[in-house]
């Protein structure tokens, strides 16, 4: 047992370090935003968040940079530190007017506040003379008796699965009154180990020469990749979001098609995105372009030992595949190609053997943006998540007045042109599609998402 207030440190793993390089540039700011129709108890919310920090010590860690060693460590205390920043109606309105001068009033404020949080990069110019907070929260006041509660987390300590776990625990605490209970300090504050420590013996091994060949192959292949048309490659970037939503009938048809054809939803979404991109560029049908697809896979179940979903941290790995698209492909046939490529890579343990290669290339792109097309820092066209998220409203949600929820991460530094955070909510498909702006415009991405929707609905009627 540790003494309350005692500090412990752990050096970051390779994947965590790569996120520490990515986040200052604008990729890897994870945000969960909740739209509430009942007045939240801000003090109870803060106590609940502090309980989360105690239950999951990595969330109670701060980031420390050791200049002489050029290394990062998590520094963890038994005492939680999160403070909920509160914004009344006037302050919230000022934020929206100042941050979105041309869009305030035409886009729902909940959506704009999500984007505001994605671009509130407290890690952009870190002060290495002091430890850096990794877990932040805000509470905004809207008109018409609405509130928006947000949690913003550094992605190195919170992947998508972690974010969903935290949301569920937070809702249970506030719905059940557990946020008001006493917090126990002085408990063990060991931080979960990095993903590299859990890779099964032998599965991450790759001969030195093979690693060199693969890195070279990834690098050379990147020069052959097509991209979604860039709108503005000069201006400073930020993350924006468009939503792809399909009603219950359409969603049921899509899921039934996936089941019949033994494919997964993320593969279908990726295929629709590839076809929509090719179509949006006005390329003559039959003219090929090669596009890169990154699939993020939650590795917890295949680690040694296997980890459960409440093991908070970053335990995803990326599988990179490329696909040749000529336009006019059948959606389901293309989806089967995407499925085959992913399953082959997965069976060959690419999520482990190529983990270091992908991290290395991401860091090289950050350090040398000129290596990417027009310095765009785009490493793929699309990124998707393997795991299907299914959520349904319940009495707890109704009791809290939860009307809407979006969870996603920023991508305006290094990353894809469109990152798809999909979920099935109350039987309806709801995707937050995050993109770098103004590299791509909101109108351009809305058109792309509308095309994806049409392709999904028309391609699954068979």
């Amino acid at each position: 047992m540790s003494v309350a207030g005692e500090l412990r440190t752990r050096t970051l793993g390779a994947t965590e370090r790569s996120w520490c390089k990515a986040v200052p540039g604008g990729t890897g700011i994870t945000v969960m935003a909740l739209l509430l129709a009942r007045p939240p108890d801000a003090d109870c919310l803060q106590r609940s968040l502090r309980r989360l920090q105690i239950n999951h010590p990595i969330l109670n860690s701060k980031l420390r940079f050791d200049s002489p060693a050029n290394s990062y460590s998590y520094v963890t205390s038994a005492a939680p530190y999160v403070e909920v920043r509160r914004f009344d109606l006037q302050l919230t309105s000022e934020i929206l007017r100042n941050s979105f001068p041309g869009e305030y009033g035409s886009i729902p404020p909940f959506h704009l506040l999500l984007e505001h949080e994605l671009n509130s990069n407290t890690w952009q110019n870190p002060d290495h003379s002091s430890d850096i907070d990794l877990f932040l929260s805000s509470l905004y006041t809207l008109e018409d008796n609405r509130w928006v509660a947000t949690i913003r987390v550094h992605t190195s300590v919170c992947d998508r699965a972690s974010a969903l776990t935290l949301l569920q625990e937070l809702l249970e605490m506030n719905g059940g009154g557990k946020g008001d209970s006493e917090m126990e300090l002085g408990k063990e504050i060991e931080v979960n180990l990095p993903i590299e420590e859990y890779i099964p013996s032998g599965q991450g091994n790759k001969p030195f020469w093979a690693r060199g060949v693969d890195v070279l192959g990834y690098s050379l292949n990147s020069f052959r990749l097509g991209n979604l048309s860039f709108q503005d490659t000069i201006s400073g970037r930020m993350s924006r979001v468009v939503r792809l939503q399909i009603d219950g009938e359409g969603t049921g048809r899509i899921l039934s098609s996936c089941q019949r054809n033994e494919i997964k939803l993320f593969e279908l979404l990726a295929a629709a995105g590839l076809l929509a991109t090719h179509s949006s560029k006005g390329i003559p049908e039959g003219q090929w372009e090669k596009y890169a697809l990154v699939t993020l896979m939650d590795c917890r179940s295949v680690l040694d030992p296997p980890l459960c979903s409440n093991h908070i941290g970053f335990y995803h790995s990326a599988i990179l595949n490329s696909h040749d698209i000529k336009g006019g492909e059948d959606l389901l046939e293309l989806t089967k190609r995407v499925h085959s490529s992913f399953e082959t890579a997965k069976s060959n343990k690419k999520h482990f053997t190529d983990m270091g290669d992908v991290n290395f290339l991401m860091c090289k792109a950050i350090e040398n943006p000129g290596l990417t097309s027009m310095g765009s820092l785009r490493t793929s066209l699309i990124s998707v998540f393997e795991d299907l998220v299914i959520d349904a409203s319940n009495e707890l949600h109704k009791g809290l007045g939860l009307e809407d929820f979006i969870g996603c991460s920023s991508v305006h530094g290094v990353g894809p042109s469109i990152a798809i955070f999909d979920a099935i909510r109350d039987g309806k498909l709801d995707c937050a599609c995050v993109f770098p702006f103004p590299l791509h415009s909101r109108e351009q991405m809305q058109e792309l998402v509308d095309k994806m929707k049409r392709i999904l609905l028309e391609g699954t009627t068979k």
Side-chain angles (χ1 to χ4, degrees), residues 415-431:
S417 283
I418 180 169
I420 303 176
F421 296 80
D422 62 307
I424 304 295
R425 294 202 171 95
D426 294 327
K428 303 173 185 178
L429 179 63
D430 186 0
C431 303

Side-chain angles (χ1 to χ4, degrees), residues 375-391:
S376 64
L377 287 174
R378 293 311 98 194
T379 54
S380 67
L381 172 66
I382 302 172
S383 69
V384 289
F385 290 85
E386 178 190 19
D387 292 324
L388 175 62
V389 173
I390 299 178
D391 188 26

Side-chain angles (χ1 to χ4, degrees), residues 253-267:
R253 193 164 69 241
I254 288 171
L255 294 178
S256 295
S257 183
C258 288
Q259 186 175 20
R260 285 196 311 272
N261 291 278
E262 298 182 330
I263 54 179
K264 296 180 180 178
L265 178 61
F266 80 90
E267 296 162 339

Side-chain angles (χ1 to χ4, degrees), residues 2 14 21 26 71 151 209 243 252 288 290 297 342 345 380 395 403 427:
S2 61
K21 292 183 179 180
S71 65
I151 300 172
W209 65 268
R243 293 177 85 170
W288 295 84
K290 183 183 293 290
M297 170 185 170
F342 176 74
S380 67
E395 292 303 316
E403 288 194 343

Side-chain angles (χ1 to χ4, degrees), residues 104-319:
Y104 178 51
S106 61
I107 295 177
F110 170 62
H111 188 120
L112 295 180
L113 285 170
L114 167 73
E115 294 185 349
H116 171 71
E117 285 285 320
L118 286 172
N119 296 289
S120 297
N121 194 349
T122 52
W123 304 288
Q124 186 170 17
N125 298 299
D127 178 6
H128 291 314
S129 64
S130 59
D131 299 336
I132 302 168
D133 294 347
L134 299 173
F135 188 67
L136 306 130
S137 180
S138 298
L139 182 60
Y140 299 94
T141 306
L142 304 179
E143 296 178 344
D144 301 324
N145 295 319
R146 297 290 187 274
W147 294 262
V148 175
T150 66
I151 300 172
R152 177 159 32 100
V153 196
H154 194 288
T155 294
S156 72
V157 299
C158 183
D159 58 19
R160 189 194 195 202
S162 296
L164 294 169
T165 295
L166 295 178
L167 173 66
Q168 184 59 37
E169 291 186 6
L170 180 65
L171 293 176
E172 290 175 355
M173 286 181 187
N174 282 266
K178 296 180 182 179
D180 289 321
S181 60
E182 291 294 323
M183 292 180 293
E184 178 189 356
L185 298 181
K187 63 187 291 186
E188 292 292 336
I189 56 171
E190 293 293 343
V191 172
N192 298 335
L193 295 175
I195 186 173
E196 290 82 4
E197 298 294 328
Y198 295 107
I199 295 176
S201 178
Q203 292 193 20
N205 296 342
K206 182 189 287 190
F208 178 78
W209 65 268
R211 189 170 300 281
V213 168
D214 283 351
V215 169
L216 181 62
Y218 279 134
S219 300
L220 293 177
N221 197 41
S222 67
F223 292 108
R224 302 166 54 205
L225 295 175
N227 291 285
L228 187 64
S229 300
F230 300 138
Q231 304 291 297
D232 180 350
T233 61
I234 305 300
S235 303
R237 290 175 200 151
M238 57 196 76
S239 287
R240 292 286 186 253
V241 181
V242 293
R243 293 177 85 170
L244 191 166
Q245 296 175 301
I246 295 179
D247 63 20
E249 180 183 352
T251 299
R253 193 164 69 241
I254 288 171
L255 294 178
S256 295
S257 183
C258 288
Q259 186 175 20
R260 285 196 311 272
N261 291 278
E262 298 182 330
I263 54 179
K264 296 180 180 178
L265 178 61
F266 80 90
E267 296 162 339
L268 193 69
L269 290 169
L274 296 173
L275 292 174
T277 297
H278 192 281
S279 172
S280 72
K281 298 179 71 173
I283 301 172
E285 190 170 311
Q287 181 175 322
W288 295 84
E289 274 206 326
K290 183 183 293 290
Y291 301 117
L293 168 67
V294 167
T295 303
L296 291 160
M297 170 185 170
D298 183 3
C299 294
R300 284 173 175 79
S301 64
V302 293
L303 296 175
D304 184 20
L307 305 178
C308 55
S309 60
N310 64 0
H311 200 95
I312 304 300
F314 192 89
Y315 296 99
H316 278 63
S317 185
I319 290 179

Side-chain angles (χ1 to χ4, degrees), residues 30 52 56 91 150 152 200 202-203 231 302 319 335 338 436 443-444 447:
T30 296
L52 288 178
H56 307 288
L91 286 174
T150 66
R152 177 159 32 100
Q203 292 193 20
Q231 304 291 297
V302 293
I319 290 179
T335 303
V338 172
E443 293 75 18
Q444 177 190 20
E447 181 181 350

